[in-house]
Amino acid sequence: MTKKTLQVKGMHCASCATIITQKVSKLEGVKSVNVNVATEKAQLEFDHQAIDVNKMNAEIKKLGYEFVAESMNMSPEDHSKHLGLNQTKNEKIQELSRMKNKILFVMPVALVVFVLMLWDIASKTLLFVPKLPIPMEIFNAVGMVLATVVMFWIGQPFLQGVVRFIKYRVANMDTLIGIGTLAAYSYSVIITLLPQVRETLSLPEYTYFDVTIVVIGFVIFGKYLEARSKLRTGEAIEKLMGLQAKTALIFRNGNEVEIPVSEVKIGDIIIVKPGTKIPVDGRIVEGTSSIDESMITGEPIPVDKKIGDLVVGATINKQGNIRFSATKIGSDTVLSQIIKMVEEAQGSKAPIQAMADKISAIFVPVVLGIAGLTLITWLTVGAPAIGFSAALSYGILSFVGILVIACPCALGLATPTAIIVGVGKGAEYGILIKNAEALEKLSKVDTIVFDKTGTITNGKPEVTDIIVLDSAWNESQILSLAASIEKLSEHPLAESIVLKASEQKLALEKVDDFVALEGVGVKGTIGSKNIYVHKPSSNNTSTISQLKTLQEQGKTVVVIEVESKIIGLIALSDTLKSEAKEAIAKLHKRGIKVVMLTGDNHLAAQYIATQAGIDTVIAEVMPAEKAGKIKALQAEGRVVAMAGDGINDAPALVQADVGIAMATGTDIAIESAGITLLGGDISKLSQAFELSRATMRTVKQNLFWAFIYNVVGIPIAAGLLFPIWGIVLNPIFAGLAMAGSSVSVVTNSLRLKTKKLK
């Protein structure tokens, strides 16, 4: 099976997405189709041997749509301008400019006609308002000319929707607006040009040219505002792409040469001077520096880097000259992975959207049916009561009003616009969301399970205690002795002891006669003294009380002997991350139960859990058993998130309702979990929960407003209030409501951009 994400041209409403999905999914060889109206992209899975994109386009081109692949040869400059929508930013701006030109013509006309319409209504209901000083014949003649221009120039997309409906039996928003305004226009033309028909049927002299002009004007204006707002939803991708360096200074044949980033090859030696961006990912081979990695980690404090350390493209070299060897270029860089993940997440669908999709799929045909039935009802039931001419007039108003107000756009935009903004907001904070489903499920999580090592702790042993057992020695001397001899050892604990001595800037002694005793310790001679650093024996544990205390805390202890006399102890432990305690406290405030799941022994696990304030500890669990523990919690009715390193915790991450991978620098475990926290900073977890809940709250608000416009508007447009108060919703106000629903949904989603996550 082949998976592709393609741009969709010609799509502008929820019904368009439904039509494309229905048509393409019926083609042989197509397994799945996910069309997103907000990003204007389609995620396709198909058998490339049975069908290709050209065959799919043959099916949908006649309907006004087309799948378009993004150019793989796009330069960094062009790529940085791409918004993840169906066009580049410049193309979108040009499209908006064309729409603006139409609006500059139609809106002044529409507003004047709207005012005159209100004046006419007021003059008939309020005695103090004078009648329009324009004769009806002149008003109708001018109205017909203006309506003809608006209908056949500004309203072209709506007429095309009607034609496609007649030819192919597919209907979208344009179809509704087109049928409604064309009906109003055609009726008015007949009344104006064929007065004998009006007289024969005793029809009123009033025409609906004003309805045609104002409805099309308001709808086009609403579409313009919606398109402009949607342009802003792509800013997260635009910002990420804009981070990329445009050029790289490389060292070739003894010379420094500046080349485009796209020409960098793996293995190239790249020179980075202070204040410049790192072009691609790589490993430092010369120099030291302090690098601002805030675009990756979200942390403002620069990170010190030395030879052998990894650097990430788009981060900023704050000070020091470095040279590094390029290890990842193009689409393999961390920045490209992040962009890809954000784009895919913005294009994915949350489960809550399924309801909106199902409704949108049947919405337009149902609305057409309701509009037709309403017109028939007015003519059959209303005519005997109020007369044929009045019933026909009200019937046309209701018919047009229903078609205009019942726009499915707001319904289609409700979920994806909020998801797009939410995912982009997460990326700003170093929270990478793989898909909309993970974002929705996270909002329902009531239990989070942490792996210990590398998630709650720093993932490497550190010297935590130095115990002096002989008053002739002090802590620094004991550490110096141990580090001097451990420097020659390859044991992981040895590195931690040497590092601690280095941090305290202790001088190390020359060691002779070094011997490594496998599984026990190391020996050597410093000066004339025999030094022995080893793990405790059972005799040591029973005679040294401090040793027993340290071991009860889950710490690893080494014993330091000089001339067969124990002079001190050094305790090592995987230490709690600095942000862990506060992060877990924030999760508790959100009502989330915190569990620690680890393969470590009970003593070590409980010691860390107590420090961090964790509720429950499940220790001594093998990696293969972790998924079972997650399943057991789910069996209790809990919605579980699992936070781990994304590699050895993979089964548990997959089993959990939401998998959250800790990642640092270039080690991004994107494939292991639904959410990845850059920098491995668990303080971002609280922000992730806040983001998910805020996003889903916005989705529900959007769906409410999308539904309420139609639930309230359609019955009123149909004439429900006429028997009580004699009110029929004018199609002009229906157009305002329709435009308002889409704009309000997009604007409400954009509010997420201003939210500060804590």
Side-chain angles (χ1 to χ4, degrees):
M1 284 289 174
T2 299
K3 290 185 178 180
K4 279 192 177 183
T5 299
L6 301 171
Q7 302 162 37
V8 185
K9 288 201 171 184
M11 183 172 71
H12 49 262
C13 74
S15 293
C16 295
T18 301
I19 290 167
I20 295 167
T21 301
Q22 288 177 342
K23 293 294 181 182
V24 176
S25 60
K26 290 178 182 176
L27 297 175
E28 188 177 347
V30 176
K31 183 180 179 183
S32 66
V33 184
N34 176 12
V35 182
N36 190 306
V37 66
T39 59
E40 297 170 7
K41 284 193 172 185
Q43 294 175 345
L44 305 167
E45 187 174 359
F46 58 93
D47 182 354
H48 68 276
Q49 293 180 335
I51 193 169
D52 58 19
V53 175
N54 290 332
K55 289 181 181 177
M56 296 181 205
N57 275 336
E59 183 67 23
I60 63 173
K61 265 189 176 181
K62 59 190 179 186
L63 306 178
Y65 313 114
E66 183 182 4
F67 292 138
V68 183
E70 184 177 334
S71 173
M72 298 305 292
N73 298 318
M74 188 179 287
S75 69
E77 290 79 4
D78 292 334
H79 203 245
S80 67
K81 296 173 186 175
H82 200 274
L83 293 183
L85 305 176
N86 78 343
Q87 296 160 306
T88 63
K89 186 175 184 180
N90 285 337
E91 288 173 338
K92 275 290 184 186
I93 291 171
Q94 289 171 11
E95 181 185 325
L96 285 172
S97 179
R98 289 191 294 271
M99 290 178 70
K100 188 176 181 181
N101 290 334
K102 290 184 177 182
I103 287 164
L104 289 174
F105 168 80
V106 75
M107 283 310 293
V109 174
L111 289 172
V112 169
V113 171
F114 185 50
V115 169
L116 292 176
M117 184 203 73
L118 292 178
W119 188 349
D120 185 50
I121 293 172
S123 68
K124 292 174 181 175
T125 54
L126 302 172
L127 295 176
F128 61 86
V129 177
K131 290 188 176 182
L132 276 174
I134 305 171
M136 187 58 70
E137 294 81 5
I138 295 175
F139 184 81
N140 284 346
V142 173
M144 185 171 71
V145 172
L146 292 173
T148 301
V149 174
V150 171
M151 185 83 247
F152 294 98
W153 176 41
I154 308 296
Q156 265 187 358
F158 308 127
L159 294 177
Q160 289 167 358
V162 176
V163 171
R164 283 194 292 268
F165 175 65
I166 295 169
K167 288 178 68 176
Y168 304 112
R169 299 293 185 270
V170 293
N172 59 11
M173 183 201 80
D174 289 350
T175 309
L176 297 180
I177 303 300
I179 291 175
T181 53
L182 191 60
Y185 173 80
S186 301
Y187 172 84
S188 302
V189 168
I190 292 171
I191 292 297
T192 304
L193 297 182
L194 301 172
Q196 61 272 28
V197 174
R198 177 178 62 79
E199 292 169 3
T200 302
L201 297 175
S202 301
L203 298 176
E205 193 178 352
Y206 188 78
T207 60
Y208 299 111
F209 291 126
D210 52 354
V211 169
T212 303
I213 294 167
V214 178
V215 166
I216 289 177
F218 284 173
V219 171
I220 287 289
F221 186 57
K223 290 178 76 170
Y224 171 77
L225 294 177
E226 180 188 313
R228 195 174 66 174
S229 298
K230 280 170 68 178
L231 195 65
R232 290 184 59 202
T233 63
E235 285 179 356
I237 294 289
E238 184 183 19
K239 285 178 183 177
L240 285 171
M241 290 179 170
L243 292 172
Q244 187 177 25
K246 305 295 185 293
T247 61
L249 187 63
I250 69 168
F251 190 75
R252 278 184 185 168
N253 303 321
N255 297 312
E256 294 183 5
V257 182
E258 189 170 9
I259 62 172
V261 170
S262 57
E263 294 180 13
V264 173
K265 299 176 182 177
I266 291 176
D268 277 344
I269 301 300
I270 299 172
I271 303 159
V272 186
K273 296 179 180 180
T276 59
K277 285 184 179 180
I278 292 171
V280 295
D281 299 357
R283 191 178 296 276
I284 296 176
V285 296
E286 184 181 319
T288 59
S289 183
S290 181
I291 294 177
D292 178 1
E293 294 188 335
S294 57
M295 57 76 59
I296 287 291
T297 64
E299 299 300 325
I301 301 172
V303 180
D304 292 333
K305 297 283 186 175
K306 61 185 185 302
I307 293 173
D309 287 345
L310 295 170
V311 291
V312 180
T315 57
I316 301 171
N317 183 21
K318 302 296 286 186
Q319 62 183 45
N321 288 286
I322 60 170
R323 294 188 180 194
F324 71 92
S325 174
T327 57
K328 290 183 180 179
I329 60 174
S331 61
D332 293 329
T333 64
V334 169
L335 180 63
S336 293
Q337 286 183 310
I338 292 172
I339 291 170
K340 180 184 176 184
M341 185 174 183
V342 172
E343 279 189 320
E344 288 181 352
Q346 289 184 338
S348 63
K349 289 187 179 182
I352 197 172
Q353 192 174 342
M355 174 181 63
D357 286 347
K358 287 177 182 177
I359 293 172
S360 295
I362 61 170
F363 192 80
V364 173
V366 167
V367 167
L368 284 169
I370 291 173
L373 185 61
T374 299
L375 177 58
I376 293 169
T377 303
W378 273 107
L379 295 176
T380 55
V381 179
I386 61 175
F388 177 78
S389 61
L392 179 60
S393 181
Y394 284 130
I396 289 172
L397 279 176
S398 296
F399 179 78
V400 177
I402 290 170
L403 294 180
V404 170
I405 201 170
C407 171
C409 278
L411 195 60
L413 290 168
T415 300
T417 52
I419 295 297
I420 288 171
V421 178
V423 168
K425 190 72 178 178
E428 288 179 21
Y429 280 79
I431 303 165
L432 295 187
I433 299 159
K434 190 174 183 180
N435 53 55
E437 184 176 2
L439 188 63
E440 179 178 339
K441 284 185 176 179
L442 188 64
S443 67
K444 302 173 183 176
V445 165
D446 55 27
T447 303
I448 183 163
V449 178
F450 285 102
D451 170 54
K452 181 178 80 71
T453 306
T455 303
I456 294 176
T457 66
N458 289 304
K460 56 183 180 180
E462 296 179 16
V463 173
T464 57
D465 304 89
I466 301 173
I467 308 297
V468 178
L469 298 177
D470 186 332
S471 58
W473 300 83
N474 60 35
E475 287 186 11
S476 296
Q477 289 172 322
I478 291 172
L479 179 60
S480 177
L481 274 180
S484 296
I485 196 164
E486 291 283 18
K487 188 176 181 181
L488 302 175
S489 172
E490 296 178 352
H491 195 279
L493 294 180
E495 184 181 346
S496 300
I497 293 172
V498 173
L499 179 62
K500 185 69 173 180
S502 175
E503 289 173 355
Q504 296 188 7
K505 298 181 179 178
L506 300 178
L508 301 186
E509 305 289 340
K510 182 176 180 294
V511 177
D512 297 314
D513 304 323
F514 175 81
V515 178
L517 304 171
E518 189 174 348
V520 180
V522 290
K523 286 184 176 182
T525 303
I526 297 178
S528 59
K529 295 176 181 175
N530 294 315
I531 313 298
Y532 182 24
V533 180
H534 60 91
K535 69 179 184 181
S537 64
S538 56
N539 183 51
N540 297 148
T541 304
S542 61
T543 57
I544 304 173
S545 60
Q546 296 97 321
L547 174 58
K548 186 177 181 181
T549 301
L550 292 169
Q551 288 177 328
E552 286 174 350
Q553 294 175 353
K555 296 179 180 180
T556 301
V557 183
V558 295
V559 179
I560 295 88
E561 290 186 20
V562 177
E563 296 295 339
S564 300
K565 182 181 180 182
I566 297 175
I567 65 166
L569 308 172
I570 296 179
L572 301 97
S573 177
D574 187 3
T575 55
L576 194 69
K577 285 184 176 179
S578 58
E579 71 273 11
K581 189 172 182 179
E582 184 182 356
I584 289 165
K586 285 182 178 179
L587 292 173
H588 281 144
K589 284 183 181 178
R590 296 188 184 281
I592 297 168
K593 180 180 179 179
V594 182
V595 177
M596 187 168 76
L597 187 62
T598 178
D600 212 342
N601 67 70
H602 280 287
L603 288 175
Q606 191 58 58
Y607 178 70
I608 291 293
T610 302
Q611 284 184 298
I614 290 170
D615 304 315
T616 305
V617 176
I618 305 173
E620 298 180 14
V621 179
M622 297 297 289
E625 299 170 342
K626 288 185 177 182
K629 299 295 182 183
I630 299 290
K631 196 178 291 185
L633 288 168
Q634 291 170 326
E636 296 174 10
R638 295 189 171 276
V639 182
V640 182
M642 169 71 188
D645 64 13
I647 300 170
N648 60 357
D649 293 313
L653 289 168
V654 172
Q655 176 61 44
D657 295 285
V658 182
I660 303 170
M662 299 290 133
T664 55
T666 58
D667 183 22
I668 299 181
I670 287 176
E671 297 303 321
S672 304
I675 295 173
T676 300
L677 304 184
L678 296 180
D681 184 355
I682 62 173
S683 64
K684 296 182 191 296
L685 271 171
S686 178
Q687 295 174 338
F689 277 102
E690 184 177 5
L691 175 65
S692 68
R693 291 174 180 180
T695 302
M696 296 318 299
R697 190 162 55 244
T698 301
V699 167
K700 289 170 183 175
Q701 290 168 354
N702 287 350
L703 287 172
F704 170 78
W705 287 112
F707 277 119
I708 207 71
Y709 273 106
N710 290 309
V711 169
V712 174
I714 289 176
I716 293 175
L720 183 67
L721 301 181
F722 184 81
I724 306 170
W725 293 300
I727 296 174
V728 174
L729 182 67
N730 192 295
I732 289 172
F733 296 105
L736 277 172
M738 187 219 73
S741 65
S742 294
V743 173
S744 63
V745 160
V746 177
T747 304
N748 189 45
S749 295
L750 288 172
R751 287 192 311 114
L752 278 172
K753 291 171 72 72
T754 63
K755 186 169 184 62
K756 302 292 183 184
L757 303 180
K758 298 177 183 178

